[in-house]
Amino acid sequence: MAREIAEIPTVVERTLRDGAGDLDEVAAAIARRAPRFVLVAARGTSDHAAVYARYLVETALGIPVGLAAASVTTIYHAPLRWDGVLLIAISQSGAGPDVAAVVEAARAAGAPTLAITNEPASALAAAAEMVLPLRAGEERAVAASKTYVASLAVVAGLVARLAAPLGGGAPWASALAGLPEELAHTLEIAGAWVRGPGAACVAELAGADEALVVSRGHNFATALEVALKLKETGRIFADGYSTADLLHGPVAVAGPELPTLAFRPDGPAGVAVDEALAVARRSGTHPWTIGGSEVAGRLHALVVAAGLPEPLTPLAFVLPGFLLAEATARARGRDPDAPPGLAKVTRTR
């Protein structure tokens, strides 16, 4: 897992550089179909990439996005009306039968279908009309890291191209070119922090069996993904929440005995995170915060990717989250590369 986290900047560079032609072609094909709605099918870590896709598509393209419930197709066999819908399926392995079944149903009904996968020879890729490979190379650790960030990079590259004809495009698109360098710098800073001041965060997480991981907006996906990594690798029952949902009840469990990790982007989403953390602090919570320049000088805070536009920060913010999860698992005496009871490929229906 540690080696694969270290590969992420190189993977993102390869994904965006070598995949540029595929991204151009797929974006052009989608634009010709002019979908009015996007449905994203995914499971596990890829489901969090789907959450990121929802925020990015809706904010940059103005197209409503939903997350598919595969059981509607695989268990209830309910036909859906696919007129005007683009189906995007995200799966690192491309081996999930349920995700492939949704793609097959949508394609049979005439909907444009796109598979984003690290395995272009997979069943999922064969089922879809269009394929965007992640180009991440083999991922051996059970807990996905480089394929997750590569999925976000592919989504960002695709949305940037689709936004280009729309009133000047996405304002963050130009930052994609410098993303690999920014991620390498983030890993350097985050690695030093986890070994230094952040070691106290590792100790706090390692000494607990439960944790809260929170954020808002594009980084809601980051909170969900890092919470999953803490579950998978360290066997910590970590819950990921949007801070808006946190205030609708779960904040009642906040307290000094429950570690809280917050991903706080600069701007309006960060203000919303602050408002929720203020409520949690009244219960004695002392959150650890990973964020942009606006968290500089705060207690228990790490500043990374200060110059990155907020829609792209999930690719950077998740890196210290991965490092924390890996270090926490080891501090708890567990092997983060081979969590008990888990396999690299999970097949559900």
Side-chain angles (χ1 to χ4, degrees), residues 1-12 136 138-141 143-150 180 183-188 190-191 194-195 225-226 229 233 315-330 336-337:
M1 184 178 176
R3 286 195 301 270
E4 288 167 358
I5 294 169
E7 292 174 19
I8 287 173
T10 301
V11 167
V12 169
E138 182 185 9
E139 188 171 58
R140 300 181 64 185
S145 57
K146 63 179 181 177
T147 53
Y148 173 74
V149 182
L183 297 183
H185 186 51
T186 296
L187 274 180
E188 182 180 353
V194 169
R195 294 187 299 270
E225 176 61 12
V226 173
K229 291 296 176 281
T233 63
L315 287 85
F317 285 5
V318 76
L319 301 184
F322 284 160
L323 294 175
L324 281 172
E326 202 272 349
T328 298
R330 295 195 182 279
D337 298 330

Side-chain angles (χ1 to χ4, degrees), residues 224-247:
L224 293 171
E225 176 61 12
V226 173
L228 175 62
K229 291 296 176 281
L230 289 169
K231 291 187 187 84
E232 288 178 323
T233 63
R235 299 189 74 180
I236 296 171
F237 197 84
D239 267 349
Y241 285 102
S242 160
T243 50
D245 291 322
L246 184 74
L247 293 177

Side-chain angles (χ1 to χ4, degrees), residues 111-342:
T113 54
L114 166 63
I116 298 175
T117 179
N118 200 39
E119 297 294 342
S122 63
L124 177 65
E129 175 188 345
M130 300 169 282
V131 180
L132 287 174
L134 297 180
R135 294 177 168 86
E138 182 185 9
E139 188 171 58
R140 300 181 64 185
V142 170
S145 57
K146 63 179 181 177
T147 53
Y148 173 74
V149 182
S151 298
L152 303 193
V154 167
V155 168
L158 178 62
V159 172
R161 285 161 171 79
L162 290 169
L166 305 177
W172 45 263
S174 61
L176 283 170
L179 193 54
E181 183 178 356
E182 186 67 60
L183 297 183
H185 186 51
T186 296
L187 274 180
E188 182 180 353
I189 293 172
W193 181 78
V194 169
R195 294 187 299 270
C201 180
V202 172
E204 188 174 325
L205 289 167
D209 291 323
E210 297 175 320
L212 285 176
V213 189
V214 301
S215 192
R216 189 75 188 269
H218 296 90
N219 277 287
F220 176 37
T222 308
L224 293 171
E225 176 61 12
V226 173
L228 175 62
K229 291 296 176 281
L230 289 169
K231 291 187 187 84
E232 288 178 323
T233 63
R235 299 189 74 180
I236 296 171
F237 197 84
D239 267 349
Y241 285 102
S242 160
T243 50
D245 291 322
L246 184 74
L247 293 177
H248 281 268
V251 73
V253 304
E257 73 289 346
L258 186 67
T260 299
L261 180 61
F263 293 91
R264 198 273 190 202
D266 291 342
V271 173
V273 171
D274 286 344
E275 291 169 352
L277 292 181
V279 176
R281 283 190 181 94
R282 291 201 287 269
S283 297
T285 295
H286 304 290
W288 293 85
T289 307
I290 295 168
S293 59
E294 292 176 4
V295 305
R298 297 188 185 187
L299 185 65
H300 295 161
L302 169 66
V303 177
V304 293
L308 205 59
E310 192 257 349
L312 297 181
T313 56
L315 287 85
F317 285 5
V318 76
L319 301 184
F322 284 160
L323 294 175
L324 281 172
E326 202 272 349
T328 298
R330 295 195 182 279
R332 286 169 67 85
R334 304 191 179 279
D335 181 359
D337 298 330
L342 295 179

Side-chain angles (χ1 to χ4, degrees), residues 88-107:
I88 300 175
I90 307 175
S91 171
Q92 287 94 345
S93 69
D98 48 357
V99 176
V102 176
V103 172
E104 290 167 355
R107 189 173 183 182

